[in-house]
Amino acid sequence: MSSSSEDNGGGARRDYDAPSSSRQRRSDNRVWPEPFVEALATNVAIDASQTQGRLAAAQVLFNVFQVCSTWRAVSNSDLLWQNLTRRIWHCNNLRHNTWHEEYVYHHRLARNFHARRYLYNTLHLGPADDNNNNESLVCRRLTISDYYLAAGFSDGTVRLFHLPNMLYLSTFRPQNRNRLGHFSPAVSGIILTETQIVFASLDGDIHVAMTDSAIPPRRAHLGDVVNDGALVDFNGCTQWWVGLYAGVPGRAFHVWNGVTEELVFIGGTLTDHEAVRGWHLLTELTELIGRVRLTSRELAVACTSLRFIVFDLRDQVIVLGEEEFPGRLMVGAFDARHEEFVIVDRRGSASVRRVGTLEEVCRFDVRGASQRGVLGCTNGGYALMCVGGLIRAWEIEHGEHLYSLVERIGEATALVADERYLVACSSDNTIHLWDFGVQ
């Protein structure tokens, strides 16, 4: 360490340190203790992910850890990586040995999605039963968890697949009862975890089954289609189940406590203008009437062709915001994940909005959507849109078009994505699987 003295003109000497890098680091270490550095690293990484994109957080963290050895030591904090994984990747479940490994895993998945790096395969349906053949089925819903894929069909059955092995596991069938309309048992939504599957039908029945059990599904809720209308979409999580109905005014939303299975709310007018079409769904599978999605904040977003609405499930279903679209929206392109949702109007103009504020994040154009229709989904970082059998990808931070998938699938009837997988079912009931988890 070097030092020098200076006479300030009054005879007093002032000692000061030259700007030595080693002394500067020691000074910084006293002023910036490890908890503070950890908080700083968290804040700058989250800020980078929100302004530049989630992939940018890694480079920012690398720069922080290069300042000095003490700052580099913060990179060994498992709590740091746990917070970053939850805030940036919205992942609360540890599937690897450490949270650092979990963060790296999700970063690699997002990088693969951005670079169109994947493995493509198709899945085969299980055997047909005595009353149905697979050719007459229409796949209406797809849902994925970490290890499972569930496909819901027009006959009310749900087929379960094991994703890592791409194997068919079992078929769940609803309990028999008198039905109002040929398609009343058609699956209108699925909630899937690693242990449980909850699926709903157009007539309002909700069934629950265990993913690893041969016990037939039990009916958790008996639908009342005459008084409630058709259950056109169903979504949720372990804590909440949300049903979107059409057919009876003032009863658009039904909300259940997912733990107790108690119905806690009925109300809403979102689908009042779609009442007639709701009844028609029981006898004829027409275009999608509406969709409802839950986000990571326990907020729900629902959409019809005329408007969307955002409401809070935690406080007596209070409406937080809504917007009408006289030019109409394409319901099949609507999806929400984490903090954002995507809507597409009849001209093919897509808008990415923040769930909490309805603020527009970016816009992009979906070419061909206005002529041929579109089916879409999002995984939290990317929007996937299928038009005319071709699936294209956009990043939803700035609206940049990234690529088109090589594989054409024909007319799609269902589409879903998470951080690792993209799954689509075509009209010939081929299930197409893109795995972005490659090394």
Side-chain angles (χ1 to χ4, degrees):
M1 179 176 65
S2 62
S3 65
S4 61
S5 298
E6 175 185 84
D7 192 325
N8 65 7
R13 291 168 56 87
R14 183 182 62 184
D15 293 332
Y16 67 93
D17 294 323
S20 164
S21 60
S22 61
R23 175 59 179 264
Q24 186 67 40
R25 284 197 297 269
R26 283 198 293 273
S27 177
D28 285 349
N29 290 344
R30 289 195 298 268
V31 178
W32 297 54
E34 289 190 14
F36 189 91
V37 176
E38 186 172 317
L40 173 66
T42 300
N43 290 335
V44 297
I46 292 172
D47 181 69
S49 71
Q50 293 174 345
T51 58
Q52 304 173 48
R54 298 180 302 173
L55 292 174
Q59 182 61 53
V60 171
L61 288 169
F62 176 81
N63 294 339
V64 169
F65 298 148
Q66 295 306 304
V67 172
C68 66
S69 59
T70 301
W71 287 37
R72 190 175 305 116
V74 171
S75 67
N76 296 321
S77 169
D78 208 41
L79 180 60
L80 168 69
W81 294 109
Q82 181 181 13
N83 290 334
L84 291 175
T85 303
R86 288 177 171 176
R87 295 287 300 275
I88 295 176
W89 304 113
H90 301 279
C91 172
N92 296 311
N93 300 320
L94 181 62
R95 291 165 293 186
H96 296 80
N97 293 328
T98 66
W99 281 104
H100 177 256
E101 292 180 16
E102 192 72 32
Y103 184 96
V104 171
Y105 169 75
H106 285 276
H107 178 89
R108 186 177 73 245
L109 293 180
R111 186 181 60 200
N112 287 346
F113 246 103
H114 194 277
R116 197 173 62 177
R117 189 178 300 118
Y118 60 80
L119 294 176
Y120 169 77
N121 284 284
T122 57
L123 302 179
H124 301 284
L125 298 183
D129 59 29
D130 295 334
N131 301 318
N132 299 282
N133 59 76
N134 290 340
E135 287 74 21
S136 65
L137 295 179
V138 177
C139 180
R140 304 191 70 247
R141 297 293 188 272
L142 291 169
T143 305
I144 46 183
S145 66
D146 289 342
Y147 299 105
Y148 296 108
L149 162 69
F153 291 87
S154 54
D155 65 345
T157 61
V158 175
R159 313 292 176 99
L160 187 67
F161 300 84
H162 187 248
L163 280 173
N165 298 327
M166 295 182 294
L167 295 176
Y168 162 80
L169 296 178
S170 58
T171 297
F172 299 99
R173 296 178 174 83
Q175 295 182 16
N176 292 323
R177 74 177 181 103
N178 293 330
R179 304 283 184 176
L180 182 63
H182 178 69
F183 289 110
S184 60
V187 175
S188 56
I190 306 169
I191 303 170
L192 181 64
T193 68
E194 306 315 313
T195 59
Q196 181 178 261
I197 181 169
V198 183
F199 61 98
S201 56
L202 277 175
D203 60 10
D205 281 7
I206 299 175
H207 288 82
V208 178
M210 306 305 293
T211 56
D212 59 352
S213 174
I215 300 175
R218 63 176 177 85
R219 184 186 287 124
H221 176 74
L222 180 64
D224 186 357
V225 68
V226 174
N227 292 312
D228 293 329
L231 177 50
V232 299
D233 201 29
F234 179 75
N235 197 260
C237 58
T238 55
Q239 186 173 357
W240 302 105
W241 303 347
V242 182
L244 179 63
Y245 289 74
V248 178
R251 300 176 71 87
F253 296 107
H254 289 48
V255 180
W256 289 264
N257 182 312
V259 178
T260 65
E261 301 177 7
E262 175 189 5
L263 182 63
V264 296
F265 176 83
I266 297 178
T269 61
L270 180 66
T271 57
D272 284 5
H273 66 284
E274 300 285 10
V276 174
R277 291 181 63 208
W279 291 111
H280 284 173
L281 277 178
L282 300 173
T283 57
E284 181 182 3
L285 294 180
T286 58
E287 289 185 1
L288 292 169
I289 289 177
R291 277 185 170 179
V292 61
R293 296 290 184 267
L294 268 65
T295 71
S296 56
R297 285 184 173 182
E298 297 184 275
L299 305 182
V301 190
C303 169
T304 65
S305 61
L306 292 181
R307 64 182 172 130
F308 69 76
I309 184 172
V310 179
F311 53 95
D312 192 336
L313 296 169
R314 297 166 295 185
D315 194 6
Q316 297 298 314
V317 190
I318 292 179
V319 175
L320 301 179
E322 60 182 304
E323 188 171 329
E324 294 187 359
F325 286 83
R328 293 187 173 268
L329 299 173
M330 293 185 167
V331 176
F334 166 80
D335 200 13
R337 184 68 63 92
H338 306 320
E339 310 295 337
E340 291 83 27
F341 66 96
V342 181
I343 52 175
V344 180
D345 65 23
R346 292 289 180 179
R347 298 170 299 174
S349 178
S351 174
V352 181
R353 306 288 189 93
R354 297 206 187 279
V355 174
T357 64
L358 305 188
E359 171 193 2
E360 184 173 87
V361 179
C362 65
R363 299 184 71 90
F364 57 88
D365 292 324
V366 184
R367 296 191 308 274
S370 58
Q371 294 82 26
R372 290 176 286 181
V374 59
L375 199 61
C377 66
T378 179
N379 70 350
Y382 305 95
L384 295 308
M385 300 287 170
C386 183
V387 178
L390 179 66
I391 298 177
R392 285 177 284 168
W394 287 262
E395 56 85 18
I396 60 174
E397 285 132 1
H398 304 97
E400 178 189 0
H401 178 255
L402 299 177
Y403 53 79
S404 299
L405 296 180
V406 175
E407 299 78 15
R408 284 184 173 267
I409 65 172
E411 181 184 358
T413 61
L415 187 70
V416 70
D418 69 358
E419 301 292 339
R420 175 170 178 174
Y421 298 101
L422 169 65
V423 187
C425 191
S426 48
S427 56
D428 62 356
N429 280 331
T430 299
I431 296 179
H432 307 261
L433 174 68
W434 294 265
D435 182 359
F436 291 84
V438 296
Q439 296 290 337

